[in-house]
């Protein structure tokens, strides 16, 4: 039976410990940035999430809105559900609820646009 190299195991453990701490720090920083964005756009205990998506068929919509409670977990629950049901790319941003009337919903059929522009083999977004 071969002896294990203790230095290698300690080095590996320390390396992965440092990686895990950096990852946790990064996640905490991302969470704090999201909380600040929510607080900045909160009005009367609510925040507006403006989102868009593109599906695998080349259909794209932007300017969809959802009013949620101005808490991190309420917003994150909606965003998680949005990503879970996504069929392609998804994007979102926070806005003040009073700006809801100024936001227009836009839809595009990227596959049809590509066909009309003579390059039906590729979609440009």
């Amino acid at each position: 039976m071969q002896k294990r190299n203790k230095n290698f195991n300690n080095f590996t453990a320390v390396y992965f410990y440092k990686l895990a701490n950096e990852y946790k720090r990064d996640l905490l920083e991302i969470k704090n940035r999201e909380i600040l964005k929510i607080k900045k756009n909160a009005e009367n205990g609510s925040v507006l999430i403006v989102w868009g998506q593109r599906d695998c068929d080349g259909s794209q919509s932007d300017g969809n809105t959802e009013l949620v409670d101005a808490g991190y977990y309420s917003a994150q629950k909606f965003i998680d559900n949005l990503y879970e049901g996504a069929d392609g790319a998804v994007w979102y941003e926070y806005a003040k609820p009073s700006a809801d009337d100024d936001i227009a919903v836009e839809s595009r059929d990227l596959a049809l646009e590509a066909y009309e522009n003579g390059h039906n083999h590729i979609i440009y977004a």
Side-chain angles (χ1 to χ4, degrees), residues 55-78:
D55 67 11
C56 64
D57 297 330
S59 176
Q60 178 176 312
S61 65
D62 197 9
N64 302 307
T65 59
E66 185 72 26
L67 190 64
V68 298
D69 292 336
Y72 172 76
Y73 292 105
S74 298
Q76 198 60 43
K77 183 178 178 183
F78 173 76

Side-chain angles (χ1 to χ4, degrees), residues 3 10 20-22 24 40-41 43 51-52 55-56 61 67 71 76-77 84 92 103 105 118 121-122 124:
K3 282 188 166 182
N10 288 341
N21 281 340
E22 287 177 19
K24 285 180 188 175
K40 179 182 170 188
N41 291 294
E43 288 180 346
W51 58 277
D55 67 11
C56 64
S61 65
L67 190 64
Q76 198 60 43
K77 183 178 178 183
E84 187 176 326
Y92 69 92
I103 299 170
V105 178
H121 57 285
I122 190 164
Y124 295 107

Side-chain angles (χ1 to χ4, degrees), residues 96-110:
K96 295 188 180 291
S98 58
D100 193 15
D101 295 336
D102 301 333
I103 299 170
V105 178
E106 298 175 3
S107 296
R108 294 174 59 191
D109 187 348
L110 300 174

Side-chain angles (χ1 to χ4, degrees), residues 41-57:
N41 291 294
E43 288 180 346
N44 300 324
S46 297
V47 68
L48 189 69
I49 299 177
V50 183
W51 58 277
Q53 66 180 0
R54 183 179 315 119
D55 67 11
C56 64
D57 297 330

